[in-house]
Amino acid sequence: LTLTGVAGAGHDVFESAARRLKSGADEHRELREWDDEWEDDDWEETSSEAEQWKILSHLIQLGLMVVICIAECLALLCHWNLFIRPKPNLYIPARPVVPQDLKGSFKYDLFDCFGACGTFCCFTWCGPCMVADLWYRAGWLHAALGSMAQGSDTGSCPGWPFFAGVGAYCIAQDAIGCCMPCAFAVLRGGIGFVDGGDGGLGEITPHRKLFEIPHDGAGTFCMDTLTWCCCGACAGTQEYRQIMDLLNRGPIQQMPMQHPQVIASVVGQPVQVGQVVQVGQPIQSGGETSNNKGV
């Protein structure tokens, strides 16, 4: 009886443990199935939210681009309306006569840019407009456009080469990017040290040649490049103030265009060496007589 009771009690214990293990396994399986379903739903919800945020991000970026483009166009129109349109004929013509006190060096130091804070701030925060303004006042845009720029200071859109300058600056910025300081250095001092010329760029006259500022070759070019690279706003302000000082002195005189002298050769009857010829006296040559008026 004792053994039977012990065996029955053990059987009951093992049976109870088996039932508990089975129920625990069922609960675990149900829990896993619920976890799997939750993970799938959560993944789908997360993916949907990610797509929504992605679309929203693209819309925000597009909106910012539209706002920036509108702001840049408004700034461009404001600059033209305030500075270019009132005086569209204020630019340096070809072959200008530069006063002696503006020759030999820049009138303003490089770090004297705070003497014209407005110009310095415009070069800092509105570079394309101010660079195009500099090119316009220096007469470079008119020289580059040639006959197309004739009459550009009149009409319904006076000073329209300014817009062409802004477009050229933006295209150059996208095309050569980090090489822009080199281009500004060329416009500042020319490339006479490369081609052995006088420093000019065709119809465009760099600042150093216009104001007869010394150029020591590659060293000056490197310094001008570093100047525009490290402190472009100061360099632009210095050049702009130099140009405006020349323009604000009144109408600029132009040097006359130099035409090459043509020496005409007169083909006449040969004159013998030692023969004295008087004006109006007939010359005897080879049995023929000619009435030359001089030798």
Side-chain angles (χ1 to χ4, degrees), residues 41 82 131 141 143 159-160 168 170 176 188 198 204 213 218 220 284:
D41 294 340
L82 294 175
V131 169
L141 296 177
W160 63 263
C170 294
I176 61 178
R188 185 178 175 95
D198 58 354
I204 296 176
I213 301 174
T220 301
Q284 300 291 335

Side-chain angles (χ1 to χ4, degrees), residues 190-272:
I191 54 173
F193 69 99
V194 176
D195 58 6
D198 58 354
L201 301 172
E203 298 296 329
I204 296 176
T205 305
H207 297 298
R208 290 187 180 274
K209 180 184 178 183
L210 177 62
F211 297 102
E212 298 181 8
I213 301 174
H215 195 295
D216 298 329
T220 301
F221 172 77
C222 292
M223 287 300 299
D224 290 343
T225 302
L226 289 175
T227 298
W228 268 101
C229 181
C230 300
C231 196
C234 292
T237 303
Q238 183 187 42
E239 296 175 6
Y240 190 84
R241 296 179 75 184
Q242 186 90 0
I243 293 294
M244 294 307 296
D245 265 20
L246 176 59
L247 292 173
N248 290 332
R249 298 193 179 195
I252 299 177
Q253 299 180 357
Q254 292 180 265
M255 293 183 292
M257 184 177 295
Q258 298 180 356
H259 297 283
Q261 297 181 355
V262 179
I263 302 176
S265 58
V266 180
V267 180
Q269 297 294 333
V271 180
Q272 296 180 0

Side-chain angles (χ1 to χ4, degrees), residues 175-196:
I176 61 178
C178 60
C179 295
M180 283 295 290
C182 297
F184 285 125
V186 170
L187 292 173
R188 185 178 175 95
I191 54 173
F193 69 99
V194 176
D195 58 6

Side-chain angles (χ1 to χ4, degrees), residues 88-106:
N89 57 346
L90 189 63
Y91 60 88
I92 297 178
R95 306 179 309 279
V97 177
V98 179
Q100 289 296 326
D101 62 315
L102 290 178
K103 292 182 179 180
S105 63
F106 285 104

